[in-house]
Amino acid sequence: MKIVTQVKLMPEADQAAALSATLRTVNDLACWVSEVAFAHGVPREYELRKHTYPRLKAEGLGAQPAQHVIKKVRDAYTTLHANIRAGNLGKPKSKRRIKAASKPITFRPEAAQPYDDRCLSWQYDAQTVSIWTTAGRLKSVRSADGLKTLREYRKGEADLIKRDGVFYLIATCEVPEAETYEPDDFIGVDLGIVNIATTSTGYQAAGRGLGRYRKRQLALRAKLQKERTKSAKRRLKERSRREQRHVKSTNHIIAKTIVTEAERTSAGISLEELKGIRQRVRLRKPQRVALHSWAFAQLAAFIVYKAKRAGVPLVFVDPAYTSQTCAECGHVDQGPFICRGCGVVAHADRNASHNIATRGETVWNAGRESRVPATP
């Protein structure tokens, strides 16, 4: 299982200046390589190297950084063309697709730059890194704690990025998955906006506090944007991504609580398959803000990877009618959940979580039967 680890760097003033200059240089050269690639019809990486490598070396890049700049550009074009073919940039004749395909790709001055083990080395015990820059090799650049996962499981390259004036190294780790056990039962998880997550075991993560927090942040951003003063702009910059970090922390806590409960009770987890919900649902404008800021995909992803690390069985089920189907008798009805079939009165989210748990057990048993080899 692959997970992404973010390591914060804490360089001295001269080291920070060298890292900033390096990112600006490599991304300026990446823009030039992109123009060359576009002029030659985006050739393969080997051919593109023949057109660009000599100048990159003349500009002061080492052999490996020059190779990474070329590869970064070629990969960017590969991703762009794949998105165009898949229709992720709009309709076939949309202006967005035509615009994306009719000019060279540009790179931000602080866009990520890949580093391999020839350009970057980690000193895990000292909590420092040695990293290549255009000003020479920087040794003993301090980093934040938390390199234990990197020491044991780091694989491949790391990306240097600068975000809000802070440098980070983004590394990929291949963490072994725990062996999945046979569940005694399933915990159904109903995801929502009023209640972020409701489980069939009784756990409920209310969304009222997070909703109020979002409204406060939205009002504050609107107020600061209206001011248009240097102080307001500075405060906006300081508060950028604060709401995103708060939501991410909340989702981590909820996911850990659910997975820990499942592991403790030897149960599996059943989640709703909610892909494409934003495209399917039509809402009024005030409701769109709540829906589009609903980080259900992030919460589901956290539950999935935490479950894999703990060996907790997990399945996805069809969410259709889980809130209108009685978990006791299967009768389908609308509105606040009062079953007209058997008279059961239940909280709609709690009722949905029981339905999700039942469907998850059905999906798991069906998969188990397919995994059992046929007797000769």
Side-chain angles (χ1 to χ4, degrees):
M1 177 183 60
K2 291 184 179 180
I3 63 172
V4 177
T5 302
Q6 178 177 276
V7 179
K8 180 180 179 180
L9 298 182
M10 297 177 288
E12 303 293 338
D14 57 335
Q15 294 175 334
L19 291 173
S20 294
T22 299
L23 284 180
R24 287 195 300 270
T25 299
V26 295
N27 284 302
D28 286 344
L29 291 172
C31 291
W32 171 77
V33 173
S34 176
E35 294 175 357
V36 174
F38 188 81
H40 288 80
V42 192
R44 294 182 180 274
E45 185 179 336
Y46 178 77
E47 185 179 349
L48 181 60
R49 189 179 300 130
K50 293 191 296 183
H51 293 292
T52 58
Y53 184 77
R55 177 176 169 179
L56 295 179
K57 288 287 292 181
E59 292 288 343
L61 298 191
Q64 288 301 111
Q67 304 279 16
H68 284 306
V69 168
I70 297 169
K71 187 176 186 300
K72 178 169 73 171
V73 173
R74 191 62 184 83
D75 290 345
Y77 274 104
T78 301
T79 302
L80 174 65
H81 293 162
N83 287 333
I84 291 176
R85 288 194 298 270
N88 296 335
L89 295 179
K91 297 180 180 179
K93 294 184 179 180
S94 68
K95 293 182 180 179
R96 187 178 176 189
R97 289 188 66 178
I98 295 172
K99 184 178 179 181
S102 61
K103 65 177 184 179
I105 294 176
T106 58
F107 294 84
R108 294 178 295 104
E110 297 176 353
Q113 173 65 14
Y115 278 79
D116 60 17
D117 288 343
R118 298 182 183 182
C119 309
L120 173 70
S121 61
W122 305 80
Q123 290 81 48
Y124 298 107
D125 295 331
Q127 298 287 334
T128 60
V129 297
S130 174
I131 187 170
W132 171 89
T133 69
T134 52
R137 187 97 176 185
L138 297 182
K139 298 182 179 180
S140 301
V141 179
R142 291 190 300 125
S143 64
D145 295 338
L147 300 184
K148 180 179 179 181
T149 304
L150 288 178
R151 182 200 293 265
E152 297 178 1
Y153 305 117
R154 182 180 65 85
K155 296 291 183 181
E157 301 171 350
D159 289 345
L160 174 67
I161 66 170
K162 185 179 181 182
R163 184 189 302 142
D164 299 331
V166 181
F167 293 95
Y168 298 92
L169 283 170
I170 311 297
T172 301
C173 298
E174 289 190 4
V175 180
E177 298 180 15
E179 184 177 354
T180 303
Y181 55 80
E182 188 66 29
D184 297 332
D185 198 359
F186 269 84
I187 297 176
V189 182
D190 179 63
L191 304 179
I193 297 176
V194 176
N195 295 308
I196 302 174
T198 304
T199 69
S200 55
T201 57
Y203 171 69
Q204 191 174 70
R208 179 181 299 177
L210 187 58
R212 289 175 176 173
Y213 177 83
R214 287 186 186 278
K215 289 182 179 179
R216 288 198 303 270
Q217 298 301 314
L218 182 63
L220 180 57
R221 285 196 299 270
K223 181 180 178 181
L224 292 175
Q225 289 168 354
K226 187 177 180 180
E227 291 293 332
R228 296 184 178 181
T229 61
K230 289 185 178 179
S231 175
K233 292 178 181 178
R234 184 173 64 251
R235 288 195 63 190
L236 276 172
K237 186 175 181 180
E238 291 172 353
R239 302 186 67 84
S240 65
R241 282 189 283 272
R242 180 173 295 185
E243 179 180 335
Q244 180 184 1
R245 293 194 299 270
H246 180 76
V247 173
K248 185 177 181 180
S249 175
T250 302
N251 282 337
H252 267 300
I253 293 172
I254 296 172
K256 185 174 181 180
T257 302
I258 293 172
V259 173
T260 301
E261 175 67 12
E263 185 180 15
R264 185 183 66 82
T265 58
S266 298
I269 297 175
S270 179
L271 285 176
E272 300 170 284
E273 183 65 70
L274 294 175
K275 289 183 179 179
I277 189 171
R278 289 190 174 94
Q279 290 73 31
R280 297 195 308 267
V281 178
R282 295 293 180 265
L283 298 172
R284 297 166 60 188
K285 188 173 181 180
Q287 297 171 311
R288 289 179 214 155
V289 176
L291 177 66
H292 290 284
S293 60
W294 180 31
F296 65 89
Q298 185 186 74
L299 175 57
F302 288 169
I303 294 175
V304 168
Y305 98 80
K306 291 179 188 294
K308 286 183 178 180
R309 293 193 68 174
V312 175
L314 186 141
V315 295
F316 283 91
V317 301
D318 184 2
Y321 304 108
T322 52
S323 296
Q324 289 98 38
T325 302
C326 178
E328 297 294 329
C329 69
H331 180 74
V332 180
D333 201 355
Q334 298 287 334
F337 195 79
I338 303 175
C339 182
R340 297 180 183 179
C342 63
V344 168
V345 179
H347 188 284
D349 292 341
R350 189 68 50 75
N351 176 75
S353 68
H354 283 287
N355 286 322
I356 295 168
T358 301
R359 293 184 185 184
E361 187 172 356
T362 302
V363 171
W364 176 265
N365 290 333
R368 180 173 54 184
E369 290 175 2
S370 65
R371 292 191 296 267
V372 175
T375 56

